[in-house]
Amino acid sequence: DQQVKQNSPSLSVQEGRISILNCDYTNSMFDYFLWYKKYPAEGPTFLISISSIKDKNEDGRFTVFLNKSAKHLSLHIVPSQPGDSAVYFCAASAWGGSNYKLTFGKGTLLTVNP
Amino acid sequence: EPEVTQTPSHQVTQMGQEVILRCVPISNHLYFYWYRQILGQKVEFLVSFYNNEISEKSEIFDDQFSVERPDGSNFTLKIRSTKLEDSAMYFCASREGDPEAFFGQGTRLTVV
């Protein structure tokens, strides 16, 4: 039951260029979306989020775009840096009581080459 | 910067034994979670905890699992009788009110 899909298991970009990571979802009840970054042997680190009432949220080099009609979101990293190399997880949640449990995609391994 | 801390970082146990994974959430957070990631698979929700009770649990969280907040700072996950398929990274997470959850570094559980 893949409610959140990250279809690209890996992505390789050159330092200074743009990295675009994609995510699709199927559950129309999702109303909040998050991106996490994960290094090996560490826990996921929150990066940026977006509510379903918005279509764009920007924080420094990171921008998340949401296309609700297509049930698609993307994370743009500009410019990409070697330290950005990590696994990026897309996650989604739906307001249900006070829960906000997260449903994760399988992740995309980003490699930024110097 | 406040962070979620988990102990131990690695736990090896024999099949059928009980294990307790420990977490100290961020101090002013109100909502607590356990997730797990089996090697090569996605991070999966196990259970959420709020106001001293379970608010939601997944199908994975069967009778062999339990959670407890024994005092004002700790949040524990107990697996009563471990199975080989319980081997995974277990992540504790907490949040204050906004949806953004903050994760610990994880406990790698190996059942042999």
Side-chain angles (χ1 to χ4, degrees), chain A residues 78-97:
Chain A
V78 182
S80 300
Q81 300 173 354
D84 296 328
S85 297
V87 177
Y88 288 78
F89 291 100
C90 172
S93 64
W95 177 251

